[in-house]
Amino acid sequence: MVIVFGSMNNDFFLNVEHFPLPGETVLTSSSFVKPGGKGANQAVAASCAGADTVFVGAAGNDELAEVSLSALKKAGVDVSYVQRSDKPTGMAMILVDSSAENSIVVASGANGDLSADKVPDTLLAKGGVLVMQMETPVSENIKLMRRAKEKGMKCLLNVAPAKELPPETAELADVLIVNEIEALSVYGSFFGKEARDARFAARALSEKTGGTCVLTLGGKGALSANAGEVLEASALNIRPVDTTGAGDAFVGTFAANLEAGCDMTDILKRSCAAAGLACLKAGAQEALPPRDEILRRAAEIRLS
Ligand code: RIB
C-alpha cells in the first residue's frame, strides 16, 4: 500500500502569454479550476500507476473540498482518513505561460492543520511506502516518519517546495526526491554550507541519509544516487503543454513501483515516462497517465 500524507488544493489556472512583471497587469481569456495539491496529485499518480493508495490530507468544510475529494475517489484513492479543518481548503493560483512553464502561489488553509497524531497505527502497515511533501507542516512529517519506520514502512520525502529541513530527517527518509533547487536547499540544511552543483548535492545527500536521493532534471530526465552508484535516465521527447504536476507524476509513479518491489532501472524509467506524459495535458491530476501508457512509453527512456 502507498500512503500519501500531504496537501490538497484547488488549482485556479490562468494561461498567460508571459508572467506579469512587478506592477504589470496582463489579460487572459483562458482560466479554469481543477483539483490539485502536491499530496493529492501524488496519490492520484500512485493509484494510476497501479498501487493501492490511501490519501491522508486536511480539507476545509467547503464546496472546494468536495471537488478535490471526488477527484481522488474517482481515481480509486481511499480518502477515508482525510481530516477536517475549520480553515478553507487549500488553494493554488497557477499561471502557465506560452512556453508551458508555471508560476504558483499556494494559500495553505486547511493543509496547515494536517496532524500526524490523527493517523491510526493500523494504517501504517508493514511493507508499505509513506510519501510526504513540504506543503504541510514539516513537524508532522517527522512525527509520522518516526512511527512509520517503527512499523517497517519505507519513507519517501519529496522536498517540494524547498524549505529548511530538521537534520533528523536524514535518519528517517529512505528516499529523498528533489529538483535542482531543492537539492541545494536540502544540502544546506544537512551540511550547514552551500553546494553549487545539484548532482554533487544529490550524491552527498544519499551518503548522508544512507538511502537513495533522486534528482529530477525536468526536460533532461532524472538521476538516482545510492551507495556511491549513480543511474541517469533521459526524459521523454515531448512538446509540453503544461508542466504543472509533472514532478508529482514522477513521485507518485516512483512510490507505486517502489512498493511493487521493482528495481531502480524500471522505477526511474517509468517515473520519467509518467512525468513526461503529465506535461501533455492542462492541469495536474487530469493529465496523469494510466499504468499501461506509462509502461509503453517507459521503453523510450534511455539509461546511463
Ligand atoms: O505540483 C503542482 C501542485 O503544486 C499544484 O497542483 C498546486 O496545487 C501546488 O500544490
Side-chain angles (χ1 to χ4, degrees), residues 7 9-11 35-38 41 92 94 104 106 135 244-245 248 284:
S7 59
N9 297 326
N10 272 265
D11 292 347
K38 292 187 193 305
N41 297 345
I94 304 183
I104 305 180
V106 176
E135 285 187 330
T244 310
D248 300 329

Side-chain angles (χ1 to χ4, degrees), residues 37-50:
K38 292 187 193 305
N41 297 345
Q42 292 174 13
V44 172
S47 180
C48 286

Side-chain angles (χ1 to χ4, degrees), residues 66-128:
E66 302 320 311
V67 175
S68 295
L69 293 172
S70 60
L72 284 155
K73 282 188 227 163
K74 197 171 152 208
V77 176
D78 179 350
V79 295
S80 49
Y81 297 90
V82 168
Q83 303 165 13
R84 291 287 176 167
S85 156
D86 291 337
K87 298 190 184 132
T89 301
M91 188 187 287
M93 187 58 72
I94 304 183
L95 302 183
V96 180
D97 76 2
S98 54
S99 65
E101 274 307 326
N102 62 39
S103 174
I104 305 180
V105 179
V106 176
S108 298
N111 292 314
D113 284 346
L114 185 62
S115 158
D117 293 342
K118 291 186 186 162
V119 179
D121 268 338
T122 46
L123 184 60
L124 305 176
K126 192 175 166 79

